[in-house]
Amino acid sequence: MKDDKRNYIIVVAAGSGSRYGGDLPKQFCDLRGRPLLMTTLERVHACAPDADILLVLSGSMLSFWREICSVLGFGVPFREIEGGATRAHSVRNALSVIDPATVGWIAVHDAARPMVTPEMFARLADGLPGCSGTIPVVPVTDSLRVVEPDGSSRSVDRSRLRAVQTPQLFDGKKLIRANDRELLPTFTDDASVMEAAGYTDLRLVEGDPRNIKVTNPGDMDIVELYL
Ligand code: CTP
Ligand code: MG
């Protein structure tokens, strides 16, 4: 039975990259002569070659993306999905094409994280049996303060905090069910959607400090160094 299940990797690439700036959304910016997104897709595909990749893109970038894939002969197979207004809506659009009857696991990954590795993916997959999802985390290295509306602030104990990365891996049926609800602006990742739906048995696994999300100008140089 289990062999009939289909596994999916949703790669969300429909954002505008407002913090990164520039003419193109960051996932299409140059990394070693091609759009960053190509590195992400190749590396995530290498993590689970049998999984179907659902690539979420904004309609305005579709022709640019198809053209450059054809010019460069990009070989990783994917199915295109139309993006939504927020990251959570983009994920939901991808989930809408998955049949809950046959789904196994679903991974959700930020296009802007090209440094995903098979080792990290294996930790996520190994941790999944017996829980609703596995989440890669890393310790926080900066000192942190909570700022109140009146501008006052206080330090917090960073030893209990973790920074959350992607890919996040979920029981597919549960992820689909969890997304069948109002999507709040506070849902910055899929673990938060799962939690709000009552799936609190999410297991934290060791992420990778190099698995950064290209967010601000200069982050591409760091990724370049890591590669
Ligand atoms: N994303 C998406 N659909 C959206 C918003 C974001 O698919 N409506 C994707 C981005 O393309 C990115 C990932 O979600 O790969 C993580 O989001 P983030 O790093 O915040 O990217 P942007 O929203 O594009 O950047 P910014 O917040 O700076 O505008
Ligand atoms: Mg964003």
Side-chain angles (χ1 to χ4, degrees):
M1 270 304 278
K2 232 182 154 49
D3 297 337
D4 301 336
K5 299 284 187 204
R6 289 232 51 85
N7 301 318
Y8 295 86
I9 302 172
I10 297 173
V11 177
V12 280
S16 61
S18 56
R19 285 168 290 182
Y20 191 80
D23 297 337
L24 283 174
K26 59 195 180 185
Q27 59 273 31
F28 303 104
C29 288
D30 183 82
L31 178 63
R32 300 195 154 181
R34 348 174 271 179
L36 159 81
L37 178 56
M38 289 188 175
T39 299
T40 304
L41 287 171
E42 276 175 3
R43 292 176 63 107
V44 90
H45 179 57
C47 291
D50 295 333
D52 290 352
I53 296 181
L54 302 177
L55 174 60
V56 189
L57 295 163
S58 92
S60 60
M61 295 307 298
L62 210 54
S63 58
F64 169 85
W65 173 246
R66 285 178 182 168
E67 171 74 16
I68 199 154
C69 282
S70 128
V71 168
L72 297 180
F74 187 61
V76 173
F78 55 81
R79 172 169 172 185
E80 292 162 349
I81 307 286
E82 170 97 39
T86 67
R87 184 188 184 283
H89 289 90
S90 289
V91 172
R92 178 186 275 177
N93 287 358
L95 293 174
S96 73
V97 307
I98 299 176
D99 180 358
T102 55
V103 71
W105 54 256
I106 301 173
V108 187
H109 185 54
D110 294 327
R113 291 186 195 270
M115 295 302 299
V116 53
T117 63
E119 291 75 19
M120 191 170 109
F121 203 91
R123 289 197 286 276
L124 293 161
D126 290 348
L128 191 59
C131 69
S132 295
T134 44
I135 314 299
V137 298
V138 289
V140 179
T141 52
D142 288 327
S143 292
L144 299 172
R145 300 189 73 80
V146 174
V147 180
E148 304 297 347
D150 69 1
S152 64
S153 71
R154 61 185 170 80
S155 60
V156 291
D157 177 10
R158 81 173 168 213
S159 67
R160 296 180 57 210
L161 298 176
R162 299 290 180 272
V164 175
Q165 304 184 328
T166 74
Q168 298 180 359
L169 205 58
F170 302 100
D171 175 308
K173 265 194 197 57
K174 293 179 181 174
L175 183 65
I176 292 169
R177 216 173 292 144
N179 274 267
D180 190 18
R181 66 197 336 274
E182 190 194 350
L183 297 175
L184 305 176
T186 47
F187 294 158
T188 55
D189 71 349
D190 307 285
S192 52
V193 180
M194 288 286 280
E195 216 166 51
Y199 296 115
T200 51
D201 59 329
L202 304 175
R203 198 169 277 160
L204 302 187
V205 309
E206 188 192 344
D208 185 340
R210 295 185 169 212
N211 179 33
I212 64 164
K213 188 179 68 167
V214 172
T215 303
N216 298 303
D219 288 348
M220 200 73 88
D221 301 333
I222 297 172
V223 167
E224 181 90 39
L225 275 176
Y226 286 157
L227 283 173

